Amino acid sequence: MSLFRRKTIQPQPPGQQLARTLGWPHLVALGVGAIVGTGILTLIGVGADRAGPAVILSFVVAGAICACAALCYAEMATMIPASGSAYTYSYAVLGEVIAWVVGWSLILEYSLVVSTVAVGWSGYAVGFLKGLGIVVPNALANGPGLGGVVNLPAVGIIAVVAGLLMLGTRESARINTALVVLKIVTLALFVAVALPHFDVANLHPFAPFGYGSPEHANGVKYGVMGAAAIIFFAFYGFDAISTAAEEAKNPERDLAIGIVGSMIACTAIYMIVAAVAVGALSYTRFGSSPEPLALILREIDQGGIATIVAAAAAVALPTVLLAFLYGQSRIFLVMARDGFLPQSLAKVSKRGTPARITAMTAVFVAAIAGLAPLDVIASLANAGTLCAFVAVAACVLVLRRRDPAARRPFRTPLAWVVAPLAILGCCYLFTSLQVVTQIAFLGWNAFGLLVYFLYARGRAQIA
């Protein structure tokens, strides 16, 4: 059996079909909900600490690479309107073993994003409850890595979001849209209050650590590209839209609008917020803060607004959980259909939602969020995403050569320029990650290939 056998995309049989309930506004909101989250709320501080005011350029670089990848995703999603995102495209175009590596990498990405955001939300929730006089014991507020037993709030919020997804995709999308609006209003409030305090002097020196990615003695890479490799985390999320292909009312139109529209909106939001942040306060004062936007507001004597921003961020963060938990459950669903997981998990409920696989996914990521120390491995999510982006861009180029006359509802403009730029940009960002992250990613995929050869390959439906 060839390692590069390809799957033919076919309509799903009754009992496995998902309900088509999402229009393009829902998909744009899903993308914005996934993209605008912990990235802009926390990573702007990490990025400024590593690049100085030139973090603005880091956002430009990461955004440009993601924009190229998003255009490739839009073409593939409209050509192959099926769940599974980069995993499905790779299986249909590049072959099974590559699809397995991409799917295994997506599991890494989505699991760590959901778990990391859940733990971050737990920190906000525990602090908020403490302000109300309710103290959550350390044993129930942190995993074993931080001296606790289990991070119960993190497990709880994953359970709530999973329950919402199992209730119905349309209902989830409506709540997600409302919370996305809240996030946008919150960021607009920050810009409106901080902009009058903009001081050009805060932009000097503009690039104190250079424009590349020099590695310091502590193993951390600084400079514009070093920061871009971390800030990249703040941009991805639009790939979750492509997992909604089978639930889009008009996938050929709605997927392209959702992917490209959410990417344009988020890039504009990030550029404005980043410019205002580094102009309102010296990066040396907020670079190491876990809540940089709130700190900036407090430093300019806007403590009340800072409290509002922090509270709104805590309320809206579950939109990131919803988008990525949604995406991972759909990827697991397709892998179950393909025989790589028990096929009983591929059944859908009467509401047209994959309740079984959603519950399994929630248990999987809740175990990570509740028990695992994530501070060391969170950046692995970036590596998994870069792998998926490279695969999708490669699919575009392969199909342009293999089947140039195929129907393409959305065509990537200048595909032979945009797709190679996405591939080269993602590869360069991968080299800008810390060495320990690169090694861990390769180790994860070596283990994945072991699982593939010993278990999954012989059970594949295509066999």
Side-chain angles (χ1 to χ4, degrees):
M1 293 185 294
S2 172
L3 293 176
F4 298 97
R5 55 192 179 189
R6 300 198 303 269
K7 181 176 74 169
T8 301
I9 306 300
Q10 297 176 338
Q12 294 304 315
Q16 292 188 10
Q17 294 177 352
L18 302 177
R20 293 193 178 276
T21 58
L22 303 178
W24 68 262
H26 297 124
L27 296 178
V28 171
L30 181 69
V32 174
I35 299 169
V36 179
T38 49
I40 191 62
L41 296 171
T42 61
L43 285 183
I44 189 173
V46 177
D49 183 56
R50 299 188 181 189
V55 69
I56 298 173
L57 293 182
S58 299
F59 274 103
V60 172
V61 170
I65 293 173
C66 280
C68 291
L71 291 171
C72 295
Y73 262 90
E75 176 168 321
M76 293 307 303
T78 54
M79 284 187 73
I80 307 176
S83 290
S85 186
Y87 162 77
T88 295
Y89 312 148
S90 299
Y91 210 162
V93 179
L94 303 178
E96 184 175 285
V97 69
I98 296 177
W100 174 268
V101 170
V102 171
W104 196 252
S105 298
L106 286 173
I107 290 172
L108 181 73
E109 170 199 344
Y110 282 55
S111 300
L112 292 181
V113 169
V114 172
S115 302
T116 302
V117 174
V119 172
W121 180 89
S122 173
Y124 278 110
V126 169
F128 178 72
L129 291 174
K130 187 176 181 180
L132 298 178
I134 303 173
V135 179
V136 179
N138 182 66
L140 299 179
N142 293 291
L146 295 176
V149 176
V150 62
N151 192 325
L152 199 57
V155 173
I157 191 61
I158 290 174
V160 170
V161 172
L164 183 61
L165 286 171
M166 293 165 67
L167 179 65
T169 303
R170 178 183 296 172
E171 292 78 6
S172 303
R174 288 173 178 169
I175 295 175
N176 178 69
T177 300
L179 293 178
V180 165
V181 171
L182 175 62
K183 279 200 287 193
I184 301 303
V185 170
T186 300
L187 292 174
L189 178 63
F190 167 79
V191 170
V193 173
L195 185 58
H197 297 270
F198 190 95
D199 185 354
V200 177
N202 289 328
L203 302 181
H204 299 287
F206 185 67
F209 305 108
Y211 292 91
S213 55
E215 185 171 341
H216 285 213
N218 58 1
V220 175
K221 293 189 177 182
Y222 286 76
V224 170
M225 294 306 298
I230 296 297
I231 285 174
F232 182 76
F233 179 95
F235 276 96
Y236 64 75
F238 61 82
D239 54 330
I241 297 173
S242 63
T243 66
E246 289 184 33
E247 292 157 279
K249 294 178 180 177
N250 184 353
E252 293 187 354
R253 179 198 67 183
D254 296 346
L255 290 172
I257 294 175
I259 292 170
V260 178
S262 63
M263 193 63 213
I264 292 174
C266 292
T267 300
I269 292 168
Y270 280 8
M271 290 301 302
I272 294 170
V273 172
V276 171
V278 296
L281 188 70
S282 171
Y283 77 94
T284 58
R285 295 167 66 182
F286 71 85
S288 58
S289 173
E291 46 170 4
L293 300 188
L295 175 63
I296 291 171
L297 291 171
R298 285 195 292 270
E299 289 291 322
I300 61 176
D301 297 322
Q302 297 291 335
I305 302 297
T307 301
I308 293 174
V309 168
V315 171
L317 272 182
T319 61
V320 182
L321 291 176
L322 188 147
F324 279 92
L325 190 60
Y326 172 91
Q328 183 170 3
S329 65
R330 270 51 179 182
I331 290 171
F332 275 148
L333 171 71
V334 179
M335 294 181 79
R337 288 173 176 172
D338 291 338
F340 294 142
L341 293 173
Q343 289 193 318
S344 61
L345 294 173
K347 292 184 179 179
V348 300
S349 68
K350 294 180 180 179
R351 289 178 172 268
T353 60
R356 292 184 182 182
I357 204 76
T358 301
M360 188 205 79
T361 305
V363 170
F364 178 67
V365 293
I368 300 175
L371 302 174
L374 298 174
D375 55 332
V376 177
I377 62 173
S379 62
L380 275 170
N382 281 10
T385 306
L386 289 168
C387 175
F389 284 8
V390 168
V392 173
C395 286
V396 168
L397 296 179
V398 169
L399 280 184
R400 287 293 181 102
R401 175 70 67 179
R402 181 189 296 160
D403 195 358
R407 184 170 178 270
R408 292 173 170 82
F410 177 90
R411 294 181 66 89
T412 301
L414 301 174
W416 290 98
V417 175
V418 171
L421 283 176
I423 293 172
L424 293 174
C426 288
C427 290
Y428 184 76
L429 285 182
F430 183 82
T431 64
S432 298
L433 291 171
Q434 296 181 51
V435 174
V436 65
T437 299
Q438 298 168 356
I439 294 173
F441 173 73
L442 295 176
W444 168 260
N445 273 296
F447 173 68
L449 286 172
L450 190 64
V451 174
Y452 170 72
F453 284 111
L454 294 181
Y455 174 84
R457 187 165 183 253
R459 290 171 171 77
Q461 277 288 97
I462 198 173

